[in-house]
Amino acid sequence: MRRHARQSWLMLLIATAALTFTNLQDLSAEEAPLKDHEVEFFETKIRPVLIKHCYECHAADAKSIRGGLLLDTRAGTLQGGDSGPSIVPGKPEESMLLESLRFESYEMPPSGKLSDEIIQDFETWIKMGAPDPRKGESKVVSQQIDLEQGRQFWSFQPVKQSNPPQVTEQAWKQNPIDAFIRSKQQALQPSELADRTTLVRRLYYDLTGLPPTPAQIDKYLNDTSEDATARLVDQLLDSPHFGERWGRYWLDVARFSQSTGGGRSLLYNSAWRYRNYVIDSFNEDKPFHQFIKEQISGDLLDSDDIRERQDQLIATAFLLLGPTNYEQQDKEQLRMDVIDEQIQTIGRSFLGMTLGCARCHDHKFDPIPASDYYALAGILRSTRVLTPGNVSGWTKRPLPLPGQQEQARIEYEKALAQLMSAQKASQKELKQLKAELNTITLDDSSATLVGDWKQSTFYKDFIGKGYIHDQQQAKGKKLVKFTPRQLKSGRYDVQLAYNSAESRASRVPVTIKTATGQQTVYVNQRVQPTDGTFASLGKFDFRGTEEEEIVVSNEGTDGYVIVDAIRFVSIPVSTSASETEPEVNPEYEQTLSKIKATQRKIKSIRDEIAERKQNAPPEVPEIMSVYEGEEPGDYHLLIRGNVHQLGKKVPRGFLSVAQTESAPAIPADASGRLQLAEWVASPENPLTARVYANRVWQHLFGAGLVRTVDNFGVRGETPSHPELLDYLAQRLIENGWSTKDLIREIVLSRTYRLSSHSTAAQRAADPDNRLLTHQNHRRLDAEAIRDTILFVSGDLDLKQHDQTVRPGTKSEYGYEFKNNYRSVYIPVFRNRLHELLAVFDFPDPNLSVGRRNTSTLSTQALYLMNNPFVMQQGEQIARRVHHDYPADQSARIDALFRIMLGRLPYATEKANAERFLKLSQTETASEQIEAWTAFCQTMIACIDFRYIQ
């Protein structure tokens, strides 16, 4: 006992000594002096970078410490932040700081990736053991976003009731918008109003995306009444082309595409229905808050109107249209990637917020904690959008039909189901009846072939793996021999299986050899077999001897000879019958009779099924649409955004910083999408109305009051006219969220109708025209350029279209765009765009884009000079003006300018045109057309053709 106690005491002493020694070793390593070259490397290569690029967000004195990470002390750098240690000395590949600098996990610094040389310095430093002479303890950083402080930011403040300021000039008092604009200009004088010729062209393009015809221009110019402009605006707002113009703007935001983009890039075959839903919604002036609700939660809304119900379901394709790699094999990662894309799109499109930045950590700039991101993720995760499979898919549903069509379809499907059930029962009965007969079947694969017989499966319902035919060749030299060695002695009905057609032989010789002799029977294979598959060759006695066989020949035949199988059906004979005249058993005859009756019944059912299918109601279209999840619930916060590292569960909800007093509660048994839609579309939401009003303003002036139209956060710009933005948002809400009413008020303002000509004083005081002392020159977008070229040539198809992807298209790759309909109906693929659209800055359909890039590139000029489409349309325009003005060149030039630019040529322009045509003067009509084609192409390439003044 005492010995055991001494041993235990000794072991404890040894262990304690060992632990103490280890701690001393660690302490020694901790306090080991750094070498001079290590200090020099840190001070020259590492510390300056940390100070310049990192301390703003990761130092103790930073205004807001991001990610709980301090990099201003050695201890803080080693400890790391919310996501774990930032460096592991000696192990660069395990160091998160290096990952972030490489833009592999996080992207640091957010201002842009550092040079490769700097990143290599950090890798070298970490390999050295991360020597760091800095002292100081790591302070525990509370990484809680101050939501109350965040709510003080302008975009999270409630929309205020803004009264127009007082202005002195009478002309600027007519429209409240003008008072807001003029009050900020102070002594800076605005430009005069645009002339009416310029204004009519501006209105047509802004509201319909098409130029006015000379007749439409004259009609407006000749109307001198005070309300002429207002009546023109109403006419254009009522045009079906309004929805095509303004719907395309929303399709940019909704990242509309007709292909998935990821992996092998599948086609969204019914995406066109969402496109047309958007166009129709703008034409019908659907209230924007309803438009929001339908796209987020249309499947959860109620309606007794069939058209409205169709719209509600089609609208939810908004959640499915994103770029997705459905081949992703980590299905949990795929699911979360889809949700992340949905959150980003909802955030940018409706709220003007970059919510995706909060997937891995709290938002770096905006008051959006990661918990808000996962509150939204729980809502969308409780929504079913994916279908299972090695290659996953997206959810679909049948499109609801009007009452009579729906009833007709239901009755058809019910009748068809009954027929299919009756057919199945009869086939089962036939199988049982045949089982009562003793049968042996020999497939063509077991036969001995003489000559070249071809295997085929072209006609279905064959026996075994297929059938053979003689290829209608080598007549008299081909045989198929069946040897029924397993037959027991007795009488059999011998049957041949084949498929019938007009190309078959009408007299196929089949020889049956038995022990008692042989007999040749001729089969007409143009006639369907008795039971649909087998035709009887007759009844024969077999003894089971080796010389017995069935031989099919193609000798003397006049068509294809088909051989599928031979069947032997045993025929029981009465025991009382004589050997010379065997009598067939009556039960066998009855069974045969039943088989024939059942076969006739099956044929009758098949015929009825075929007839009903031929006269069936139209197929129910299938649409992209989402469903409520079967098990809705909250979801976890993911550590560093990793789907395989679950953190705490986060209750489903909305953005805390923009929470409204009347925000709806989410029921436990629902996804929360309906409540999310109600919160987004609420007039109390400080973001939604502002963001949309700003988008409308941007499309009419070329820049928003907030120029970062997709970002109303800290990194975005502040509004140039905050009171005006709130006024517009309030007017939008007061007018029932009407887009057309908001547009009407803006385009009838004096500000919108100003000339685009600016003075030197205006440019010097306000180079970006933020004070709107004049209208902005704006280049036509890609669709308007293409549509105008086709419109002035007379080739533009102005009808609305449904599916425009050519039938049979399986892939976007190599797709050819050949039609002349409006550009909004051109198929949009993520890996292939129409060439003209791509050249003139069509937005990336992988992203939600509220403001397109406007570039000036040599490729654009080259396209207008050399592309066959432009050259062909130039010739078409030339032929058009030649047809309308065959003899008068001066009138022809005037007409061309009015058709293409909406105005008459200036004197210098006309002189230059006449000089060019004189230099190109030719004698033949074809040569004249060639010269005029060159002139028309020059007009297409000119600035005034591509710009709105």
Side-chain angles (χ1 to χ4, degrees):
M1 182 78 175
R2 291 173 62 190
R3 181 183 178 189
H4 177 72
R6 284 198 302 272
Q7 287 178 335
S8 298
W9 177 83
L10 184 60
M11 293 295 292
L12 179 61
L13 183 62
I14 293 170
T16 304
L19 180 61
T20 304
F21 180 72
T22 302
N23 289 338
L24 287 172
Q25 273 192 322
D26 289 345
L27 184 61
S28 176
E30 180 87 11
E31 296 178 352
L34 299 178
K35 298 175 182 177
D36 290 344
H37 75 277
E38 292 176 334
V39 174
E40 182 182 358
F41 189 89
F42 178 84
E43 295 295 350
T44 58
K45 300 289 188 181
I46 304 303
R47 190 197 290 263
V49 177
L50 293 174
I51 292 172
K52 183 177 180 180
H53 296 287
C54 305
Y55 280 15
E56 182 181 357
C57 299
H58 299 290
D61 59 353
K63 291 181 180 179
S64 177
I65 298 171
R66 301 298 179 183
L69 174 63
L70 287 173
L71 295 175
D72 56 347
T73 64
R74 179 177 187 274
T77 304
L78 290 171
Q79 178 177 309
D82 296 343
S83 301
S86 61
I87 62 169
V88 179
K91 298 180 179 180
E93 299 310 316
E94 297 180 23
S95 298
M96 197 181 308
L97 177 61
L98 189 60
E99 284 184 16
S100 301
L101 294 176
R102 289 171 172 167
F103 278 39
E104 291 175 352
S105 53
Y106 303 116
E107 295 182 358
M108 297 295 172
S111 57
K113 190 176 181 181
L114 300 178
S115 69
D116 292 342
E117 182 181 356
I118 292 175
I119 295 171
Q120 182 61 49
D121 288 340
F122 273 83
E123 182 178 348
T124 302
W125 175 61
I126 296 170
K127 283 181 180 178
M128 293 166 60
D132 187 345
R134 297 174 299 170
K135 305 294 183 182
E137 298 179 359
S138 174
K139 298 179 182 179
V140 178
V141 178
S142 174
Q143 183 55 22
Q144 265 197 332
I145 289 176
D146 188 338
L147 291 174
E148 285 307 316
Q149 182 182 350
R151 292 188 179 106
Q152 303 311 307
F153 189 69
W154 74 268
S155 64
F156 301 122
Q157 289 280 302
V159 174
K160 298 180 180 67
Q161 187 74 41
S162 297
N163 295 317
Q166 295 297 316
V167 291
T168 56
E169 298 103 322
Q170 186 63 34
W172 290 86
K173 292 181 178 181
Q174 307 304 314
N175 187 316
I177 291 173
D178 296 327
F180 284 109
I181 294 296
R182 187 71 185 99
S183 67
K184 282 232 174 187
Q185 295 168 349
Q186 298 178 352
L188 198 60
Q189 287 300 310
S191 297
E192 296 297 322
L193 292 176
D195 63 78
R196 299 187 80 206
T197 302
T198 299
L199 181 61
V200 66
R201 185 171 187 265
R202 183 188 299 170
L203 284 168
Y204 265 86
Y205 270 118
D206 279 348
L207 300 188
T208 71
L210 295 169
T213 64
Q216 290 167 334
I217 294 171
D218 290 341
K219 181 180 179 182
Y220 174 67
L221 295 180
N222 293 331
D223 185 349
T224 57
S225 61
E226 290 185 2
D227 62 347
T229 302
R231 283 193 281 107
L232 175 62
V233 168
D234 288 339
Q235 172 195 328
L236 296 177
L237 290 173
D238 288 340
S239 166
H241 303 312
F242 170 81
E244 292 167 338
R245 176 62 162 174
W246 283 77
R248 181 58 254 182
Y249 291 145
W250 184 255
L251 294 174
D252 285 5
V253 174
R255 81 298 188 217
F256 172 76
S257 176
Q258 288 161 272
S259 67
T260 65
R264 70 187 71 177
S265 193
L266 310 173
L267 296 184
Y268 289 137
N269 288 319
S270 64
W272 66 268
R273 292 185 182 275
Y274 175 79
R275 177 200 66 207
N276 285 12
Y277 156 80
V278 170
I279 292 171
D280 292 343
S281 294
F282 278 93
N283 275 332
E284 295 163 7
D285 199 18
K286 180 171 291 183
F288 187 69
H289 70 316
Q290 181 184 339
F291 188 58
I292 294 171
K293 291 177 185 178
E294 289 178 349
Q295 292 178 87
I296 296 177
S297 62
D299 57 309
L300 305 177
L301 301 177
D302 295 324
S303 178
D304 294 328
D305 181 84
I306 186 62
R307 167 69 195 285
E308 185 176 44
R309 186 59 186 151
Q310 289 177 337
D311 279 358
Q312 290 169 347
L313 295 176
I314 291 170
T316 63
F318 172 81
L319 296 173
L320 297 169
L321 284 168
T324 304
N325 180 8
Y326 289 99
E327 295 176 85
Q328 165 72 265
Q329 293 304 295
D330 185 338
K331 299 304 178 182
E332 194 58 34
Q333 183 69 51
L334 171 62
R335 186 178 184 186
M336 199 61 212
D337 285 349
V338 171
I339 291 168
D340 177 68
E341 198 279 333
Q342 291 170 336
I343 290 174
Q344 291 193 59
T345 303
I346 290 171
R348 289 172 68 90
S349 59
F350 299 123
L351 306 173
M353 300 302 297
T354 55
L355 302 183
C357 296
R359 179 175 182 175
C360 301
H361 48 69
D362 291 347
H363 200 291
K364 298 182 185 70
F365 306 104
D366 297 331
I368 302 172
S371 56
D372 278 4
Y373 177 94
Y374 288 98
L376 292 169
I379 293 173
L380 294 168
R381 196 177 167 84
S382 298
T383 302
R384 185 156 62 89
V385 299
L386 292 169
T387 57
N390 179 50
V391 177
S392 300
W394 55 93
T395 48
K396 306 170 188 175
R397 70 167 79 223
L399 183 69
L401 298 173
Q404 289 184 341
Q405 292 183 32
E406 186 82 26
Q407 188 59 37
R409 190 75 201 181
I410 290 172
E411 291 175 0
Y412 164 75
E413 290 179 353
K414 182 179 178 181
L416 193 63
Q418 290 173 344
L419 287 169
M420 298 295 283
S421 177
Q423 183 184 29
K424 187 176 180 180
S426 296
Q427 287 172 334
K428 183 178 179 182
E429 181 184 354
L430 180 62
K431 186 177 180 180
Q432 290 171 342
L433 288 169
K434 287 182 177 180
E436 295 176 12
L437 301 176
N438 182 13
T439 65
I440 293 175
T441 301
L442 300 181
D443 189 35
D444 61 271
S445 58
S446 65
T448 301
L449 305 183
V450 176
D452 182 21
W453 293 80
K454 185 174 179 62
Q455 187 76 28
S456 179
T457 56
F458 184 79
Y459 284 85
K460 306 306 176 186
D461 297 328
F462 44 75
I463 308 299
K465 296 182 178 179
Y467 59 91
I468 57 177
H469 63 81
D470 71 342
Q471 305 176 72
Q472 203 173 354
Q473 296 174 0
K475 296 296 186 179
K477 297 181 180 180
K478 297 184 180 183
L479 301 173
V480 181
K481 298 181 179 181
F482 294 91
T483 306
R485 293 201 175 101
Q486 65 271 47
L487 285 184
K488 294 180 181 180
S489 181
R491 169 160 282 206
Y492 292 86
D493 183 6
V494 181
Q495 301 173 348
L496 171 67
Y498 63 89
N499 51 68
S500 60
E502 283 300 315
S503 61
R504 305 298 186 244
S506 62
R507 186 176 166 82
V508 178
V510 184
T511 302
I512 299 92
K513 298 180 180 179
T514 68
T516 58
Q518 70 179 41
Q519 180 180 344
T520 299
V521 177
Y522 294 91
V523 180
N524 184 358
Q525 291 194 341
R526 295 176 185 173
V527 177
Q528 188 178 23
T530 313
D531 66 356
T533 304
F534 285 94
S536 177
L537 303 176
K539 301 175 179 61
F540 302 89
D541 294 319
F542 288 85
R543 300 285 184 265
T545 61
E546 290 186 1
E547 64 271 16
E548 293 176 331
E549 63 180 357
I550 313 297
V551 181
V552 182
S553 171
N554 73 341
E555 184 175 2
T557 54
D558 56 357
Y560 286 92
V561 175
I562 309 296
V563 182
D564 192 354
I566 289 288
R567 184 167 69 184
F568 300 87
V569 181
S570 177
I571 304 176
V573 296
S574 174
T575 54
S576 60
S578 65
E579 291 186 7
T580 56
E581 293 293 334
E583 185 178 320
V584 177
N585 191 317
E587 292 180 2
Y588 171 77
E589 293 287 3
Q590 290 175 4
T591 303
L592 283 180
S593 178
K594 288 179 181 179
I595 287 174
K596 291 178 180 179
T598 305
Q599 288 171 336
R600 287 194 296 270
K601 182 179 179 181
I602 291 172
K603 183 180 183 303
S604 175
I605 293 173
R606 281 178 176 169
D607 291 345
E608 188 173 355
I609 289 173
E611 183 180 354
R612 283 188 176 272
K613 285 184 176 180
Q614 189 174 2
N615 299 305
E619 285 287 332
V620 179
E622 202 171 47
I623 60 172
M624 304 172 71
S625 185
V626 303
Y627 293 84
E628 280 286 82
E630 295 177 0
E631 297 180 1
D634 301 332
Y635 188 53
H636 300 269
L637 188 150
L638 301 181
I639 307 301
R640 295 178 61 193
N642 189 328
V643 296
H644 303 298
Q645 293 187 26
L646 303 182
K648 65 179 181 180
K649 275 198 171 183
V650 179
R652 284 166 291 160
F654 323 122
L655 296 190
S656 304
V657 73
Q659 196 68 274
T660 58
E661 292 183 5
S662 59
I666 297 175
D669 61 348
S671 67
R673 267 188 305 117
L674 180 60
Q675 291 73 31
L676 171 62
E678 290 172 349
W679 172 76
V680 171
S682 169
E684 295 178 17
N685 190 307
L687 294 164
T688 310
R690 280 184 176 128
V691 168
Y692 186 61
N694 189 61
R695 292 193 190 282
V696 171
W697 185 274
Q698 177 208 216
H699 296 313
L700 296 170
F701 287 91
L705 297 170
V706 179
R707 288 190 292 186
T708 53
V709 294
D710 295 324
N711 190 352
F712 273 42
V714 173
R715 298 279 286 182
E717 290 192 14
T718 55
S720 58
H721 298 74
E723 296 83 5
L724 173 57
L725 181 59
D726 276 11
Y727 168 82
L728 296 173
Q730 194 63 41
R731 289 288 289 168
L732 175 68
I733 295 168
E734 289 172 354
N735 290 331
W737 297 80
S738 166
T739 299
K740 289 186 177 182
D741 283 355
L742 184 61
I743 291 173
R744 182 185 290 106
E745 185 168 355
I746 293 173
V747 299
L748 291 178
S749 70
R750 184 178 183 87
T751 305
Y752 173 83
R753 293 182 290 121
L754 289 176
S755 167
S756 60
H757 296 296
S758 60
T759 65
Q762 291 170 349
R763 293 191 294 274
D766 183 22
D768 292 332
N769 195 29
R770 302 300 288 143
L771 299 177
L772 291 169
T773 53
H774 57 276
Q775 250 293 8
N776 292 309
H777 291 274
R778 288 174 285 140
R779 196 191 73 187
L780 296 178
D781 58 27
E783 295 93 327
I785 291 174
R786 176 183 172 275
D787 289 353
T788 301
I789 292 172
L790 289 168
F791 184 79
V792 299
S793 75
D795 279 353
L796 183 63
D797 176 357
L798 288 169
K799 298 190 295 292
Q800 187 181 66
H801 291 270
D802 293 339
Q803 176 64 283
T804 54
V805 178
R806 281 192 302 279
T809 300
K810 302 296 182 184
S811 171
E812 63 186 288
Y813 298 105
Y815 188 87
E816 294 184 10
F817 304 91
K818 293 182 177 180
N819 298 84
N820 287 350
Y821 30 67
R822 286 204 71 177
S823 299
V824 71
Y825 299 113
I826 291 178
V828 177
F829 301 125
R830 291 198 156 97
N831 294 299
R832 180 163 177 78
L833 294 174
H834 186 286
E835 187 179 5
L836 185 151
L837 303 189
V839 167
F840 286 97
D841 303 312
F842 189 84
D844 183 352
N846 291 295
L847 304 172
S848 172
V849 178
R851 183 179 184 182
R852 294 187 182 185
N853 181 45
T854 303
S855 66
T856 303
L857 302 171
S858 58
T859 50
Q860 296 166 352
L862 291 171
Y863 182 92
L864 296 176
M865 287 170 57
N866 302 319
N867 189 270
F869 165 76
V870 179
M871 297 169 72
Q872 177 187 354
Q873 295 305 311
E875 180 180 348
Q876 190 73 11
I877 298 168
R879 292 187 181 280
R880 175 185 175 186
V881 293
H882 260 265
H883 176 272
D884 293 344
Y885 302 92
D888 190 339
Q889 178 166 284
S890 176
R892 195 182 302 157
I893 294 172
D894 289 348
L896 184 63
F897 270 78
R898 295 202 75 201
I899 290 169
M900 299 189 71
L901 306 184
R903 62 172 174 81
L904 289 169
Y906 303 130
T908 53
E909 290 173 331
K910 189 160 186 178
N912 288 335
E914 289 174 338
R915 188 180 306 113
F916 171 81
L917 292 168
K918 185 177 181 180
L919 290 172
S920 306
Q921 194 167 15
T922 52
E923 296 181 0
T924 67
S926 62
E927 289 174 337
Q928 288 182 17
I929 290 294
E930 187 176 342
W932 272 87
T933 296
F935 181 44
C936 291
Q937 195 175 346
T938 303
M939 293 284 288
I940 292 174
C942 78
I943 288 179
D944 282 2
F945 181 82
R946 303 195 311 276
Y947 276 78
I948 303 174
Q949 300 298 326

